[in-house]
Amino acid sequence: MKVVCVGGGTGLSNLLRGLKKEVGNRIKELSAIVTVADSGGSTGRLRKAYQIPAPGDIRNCLVAISETEEILQKLFQYRFKGGELEGHSFGNLFLVALTDITGSFLSAINLASQILRTKGEIIPATTESVHLWAEFSDGKVVEGEENITEYGKSSKAKIVRIWIEPEDAKPPIDAIAKLQSADLIIFGPGSLYTSIVPNLLIKDIKSAVETSPALKVFVVNAMTQPGETDGYTAYDHIKGFLTATGLSKIDIAIVNTKMPSDNLLRRYIEQGQEPVVADVAKIAREGITVYAEDLIGENEDFIRHDPDRLTDVILRAVSHAFSHI
């Protein structure tokens, strides 16, 4: 199969870590279309200074599908401590430098891919410097990915509309080609409104997804996200995704049913995060095939999907769907 993942943040890189193991086996070709609307941390500072797309999520995804030595992967993820470089990651600075040398953000990513020996292709959703905007249920309009989440946390208002500026931002031609030739397109997991949806706010990407004959899979987050999806069930995530993007449908939903350990769960609840309720019947009534399984890993620090389990259930679901076509 030709597989295209769409998203950003740690959710996408975590998914790619599992899928890359199947490249050359059940997966013929692996690509990821990655949001560049991030505005926080090292990425946000570099965007302002150099007027480039956000490099942070690109860096994480490159490392996730890398087959190079562990020391090079650690180097790309290394964060400087102290001085003017405080908080910057080496990989972000490396991508900025390559962009300046080559004159092209795409060339910088391709060169970094060669250095890291990636088992797939990482494509930015656009090479333009786009900014995310959101309107909340209290009428407030907020600019910037980081500011949107922070306002949602402090106000408890809900996101009712989200868009990018410039609204006519164009994707790389490779992104469109990958979507049109894909057998499988996967959305998520990740921040719904600030990592997954922004990719589909680029009109040509949305059109390519809508018209692609690929099977479309949505991976629902295991936990709610403060400021974005407070109180959201699995069905709410899917409904929110379709409403915000304007896509007509998805074919398959992947939902976690495993509860984290009490200690870990207590820590997340203190931060305002709760397990996403698996209201499977409600999703199924929309004509979506649901796979509800224990998918989170045993890590005692974070609640995240286990990359291998997630990969297995996705490919099993797709194999079953193709056998019935």
Side-chain angles (χ1 to χ4, degrees):
M1 288 188 300
K2 292 182 179 180
V3 179
V4 179
C5 304
V6 180
T10 54
L12 178 58
S13 54
N14 199 43
L15 169 66
L16 291 171
R17 209 166 276 117
L19 290 172
K20 81 171 178 184
K21 296 176 184 176
E22 292 295 336
V23 174
N25 182 17
R26 290 186 284 180
I27 296 174
K28 177 184 177 183
E29 189 179 281
L30 178 62
S31 311
I33 296 171
V34 185
T35 181
V36 288
D38 192 0
S39 65
S42 166
T43 280
R45 288 155 62 196
L46 292 172
R47 284 193 68 180
K48 286 175 186 170
Y50 294 94
Q51 295 301 303
I52 62 164
D57 286 354
I58 298 283
R59 179 198 81 243
N60 283 329
C61 290
L62 285 169
V63 171
I65 59 170
S66 167
E67 287 289 284
T68 193
E69 295 83 358
E70 189 180 347
I71 189 66
L72 257 182
Q73 295 180 25
K74 286 182 176 178
L75 178 63
F76 260 70
Q77 297 292 54
Y78 176 79
R79 285 196 184 274
F80 292 92
K81 303 170 186 73
E84 291 182 9
L85 293 179
E86 172 74 39
H88 280 304
S89 79
F90 174 84
N92 284 359
L93 296 175
F94 187 81
L95 286 169
V96 170
L98 274 181
T99 301
D100 197 38
I101 290 166
T102 63
S104 163
F105 190 54
L106 284 177
S107 296
I109 294 168
N110 289 335
L111 284 167
S113 294
Q114 291 171 32
I115 292 165
L116 289 167
R117 300 210 314 269
T118 58
K119 290 188 77 173
E121 193 171 345
I122 304 299
I123 308 166
T126 181
T127 54
E128 297 175 40
S129 185
V130 294
H131 296 271
L132 198 60
W133 289 78
E135 180 184 352
F136 284 83
S137 53
D138 61 0
K140 179 76 171 178
V141 173
V142 180
E143 178 192 3
E145 175 254 7
E146 189 175 37
N147 296 333
I148 289 167
T149 304
E150 286 307 312
Y151 184 78
K153 284 182 189 175
S154 62
S155 69
K156 304 300 181 187
K158 298 283 189 184
I159 293 170
V160 294
R161 189 167 70 95
I162 195 150
W163 68 97
I164 54 163
E165 291 186 1
E167 292 186 354
D168 60 352
K170 296 293 182 189
I173 194 164
D174 271 9
I176 302 304
K178 295 292 184 188
L179 289 167
Q180 289 175 336
S181 65
D183 300 300
L184 170 64
I185 299 173
I186 306 170
F187 306 103
S191 302
L192 181 62
Y193 292 108
T194 55
S195 289
I196 305 170
V197 166
N199 296 286
L200 282 301
L201 299 177
I202 295 167
K203 293 170 186 173
D204 289 350
I205 287 183
K206 184 218 163 179
S207 297
V209 169
E210 191 67 67
T211 57
S212 173
L215 205 63
K216 298 167 183 81
V217 173
F218 187 90
V219 182
V220 178
N221 288 342
M223 303 293 288
T224 60
Q225 183 175 355
E228 286 195 39
T229 56
D230 300 277
Y232 272 37
T233 66
Y235 172 81
D236 293 332
H237 277 80
I238 293 165
K239 183 184 175 186
F241 172 71
L242 294 175
T243 301
T245 61
L247 288 178
S248 60
K249 71 178 181 84
I250 59 163
D251 302 297
I252 295 170
I254 308 291
V255 181
N256 171 63
T257 54
K258 183 178 180 180
M259 287 295 285
S261 68
D262 287 346
N263 288 341
L264 194 53
L265 186 57
R266 196 175 298 116
R267 185 150 57 83
Y268 269 74
I269 288 173
E270 285 171 2
Q271 297 169 358
Q273 292 183 267
E274 299 175 348
V276 172
V277 174
D279 47 353
V280 172
K282 202 169 180 183
I283 300 169
R285 280 197 291 271
E286 297 293 323
I288 298 167
T289 303
V290 187
Y291 283 78
E293 299 190 16
D294 290 358
L295 293 172
I296 58 173
E298 304 301 327
N299 189 314
E300 280 300 312
D301 296 320
F302 300 101
I303 299 173
R304 285 185 187 150
H305 289 84
D306 179 271
D308 296 329
R309 282 189 218 163
L310 183 54
T311 294
D312 180 65
V313 71
I314 288 171
L315 296 182
R316 203 168 2 105
V318 171
S319 176
H320 187 261
F322 282 148
S323 70
H324 285 73
I325 292 176

